[in-house]
């Protein structure tokens, strides 16, 4: 409450400062106080740093594209992953956003392709199925272009709802479907895991030999 | 450790995305992960938001000035505070940076002017007296332009060192010196103090020599 109050009618001494703070604080998780700290930092740095940041942000908006096949961020019409002839195009991993692709790519364990939904169904946030790229996914299945769909949405109520919504539409095509394994993180202590995760990791236990192969 | 690792060699799928993330993560307290989140947020917003942010940051660097008298941020050569005929120019409050001016102004308790040092003496951070605007402050005292100096640096070791360094240089001119009252917790940053405490600590400022005795 107090923190809010100190910024009501705050005198920024400069309309340029105030404007920069206001714009910066539009970003999620950046309050006025943090914005002011960041902006004052930039003021102390060489002008080239601010110019480079501004340029990079404008370029981002004007130059970036989205892959016509998987909706991944790309500098070309078809992204590098979809263009990679080494990858199996008939195995598609469904994810919420670009960060999930990065995280999975980083494991070097996956050789299929992706389909980025752009979010998950969430009535509270006003996100319906029509706001997500579900139609194009179902079309791929319809056209027989898919052997396996891997559901890799986050295991929240919204994620489960979205999974189920998609599943209902592709069920009749009898393709293989799977979800990524949920369980205790590698290296995590059992005693700190939440009950649901621990319960699921026992129910979905895998043959011991499999765990040896993975590592 | 893991969080760090996931960003080594991270495939951003787009050089524009990577560039924007890199520039954004130059800001203090913004890691690669946060930068990515902010940049992906901007990607989802209308282009006008990114343009406005970029414009505001560039304007900030090119248009903002620093007051020739007190070194405060200003859109003009002399800031509004120094230009205010209602204020007593012979009472000068010494602060570290612009945020401290904002915090004190916000209390409406102070009718003198300021002198912004631009930091405090900190050998660890490589900040010596020459990096701060101390000479111009001493000159003001020398010229007889000062009745009272109020030391309002944060009560850290660096703040005390800076206070003492300045005090030693102006001691001989026999002007009144004071420090803001220690109603503020020792070690606390000025900008986080609540208005009432900060306002009162200016009203109840004590002679500088007293603060030396206390410590
Ligand atoms: Zn693609
Ligand atoms: Zn001024």
């Amino acid at each position: 409450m107090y923190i809010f109050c100190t910024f009501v009618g705050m005198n920024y001494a400069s309309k340029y400062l105030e404007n920069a703070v206001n714009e910066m604080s539009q970003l999620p998780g950046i309050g006025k106080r943090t914005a002011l700290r960041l902006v004052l930092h930039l003021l102390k740095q060489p002008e080239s740093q601010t110019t480079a940041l501004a340029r990079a942000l404008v370029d981002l908006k004007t130059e970036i594209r989205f892959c016509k096949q998987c909706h991944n961020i790309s500098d070309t019409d078809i992204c590098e992953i979809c263009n990679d002839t080494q990858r199996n195009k008939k195995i598609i991993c469904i994810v919420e956003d670009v960060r999930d692709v990065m995280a999975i790519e980083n494991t070097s364990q996956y050789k299929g392709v992706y389909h980025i939904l752009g979010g998950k169904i969430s009535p509270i946030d006003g996100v319906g199925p029509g706001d997500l790229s579900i139609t194009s996914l179902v079309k791929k299945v319809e056209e027989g272009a898919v052997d396996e769909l891997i559901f890799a949405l986050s295991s929240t109520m919204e994620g489960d709802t979205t999974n189920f919504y998609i599943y209902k539409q592709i069920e009749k095509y009898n393709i293989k479907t799977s979800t990524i394994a949920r369980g205790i993180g590698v290296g995590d202590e059992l005693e700190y895991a939440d009950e649901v995760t621990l319960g699921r990791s026992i129910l979905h236990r895998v043959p011991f030999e499999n765990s040896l192969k993975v590592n």
Side-chain angles (χ1 to χ4, degrees), chain A residues 1 11 23-26 35 38 89-90 110 113 115 120 122 127 134 144 151 156-157 165 176 188 199 213 215:
Chain A
M1 187 57 195
N11 177 3
E23 290 298 335
M24 196 67 111
S25 64
Q26 301 287 310
L38 297 178
K89 308 289 156 53
K90 303 199 97 180
Y110 181 61
V113 294
H115 185 93
K120 49 197 169 184
S122 171
V127 181
I134 292 176
F151 291 87
T156 57
M157 206 182 68
Y165 181 91
K176 192 176 167 191
D188 283 357
K213 275 178 222 151
N215 291 315

Side-chain angles (χ1 to χ4, degrees), chain A residues 133-187:
Chain A
S133 50
I134 292 176
T135 313
S136 56
L137 174 65
V138 173
K139 199 168 159 235
K140 284 178 195 171
V141 178
E142 238 171 49
E143 288 168 347
V146 184
D147 284 343
E148 180 180 356
L149 274 189
I150 304 170
F151 291 87
L153 305 201
S154 57
S155 56
T156 57
M157 206 182 68
E158 288 89 355
D160 290 343
T161 303
T162 312
N163 283 342
F164 192 72
Y165 181 91
I166 295 170
Y167 182 73
K168 277 289 149 195
Q169 295 198 53
I170 55 98
E171 204 179 5
K172 59 185 168 193
Y173 299 105
N174 270 319
I175 58 162
K176 192 176 167 191
T177 53
S178 58
T179 66
I180 54 167
R182 303 281 174 189
I184 312 287
V186 175

Side-chain angles (χ1 to χ4, degrees), chain A residues 59-100:
Chain A
D59 281 354
L60 177 82
K61 284 299 281 188
T62 52
E63 300 295 335
I64 225 164
R65 302 179 201 188
F66 293 91
C67 175
K68 285 182 175 168
Q69 274 171 30
C70 72
H71 311 294
N72 189 14
I73 280 173
S74 176
D75 289 342
T76 46
D77 280 347
I78 306 294
C79 78
E80 283 178 20
I81 293 170
C82 290
N83 250 335
D84 187 341
T85 53
Q86 299 296 98
R87 282 176 177 265
N88 186 343
K89 308 289 156 53
K90 303 199 97 180
I91 301 180
I92 297 181
C93 181
I94 309 169
V95 293
E96 284 166 41
D97 76 15
V98 175
R99 280 175 293 181
D100 303 321

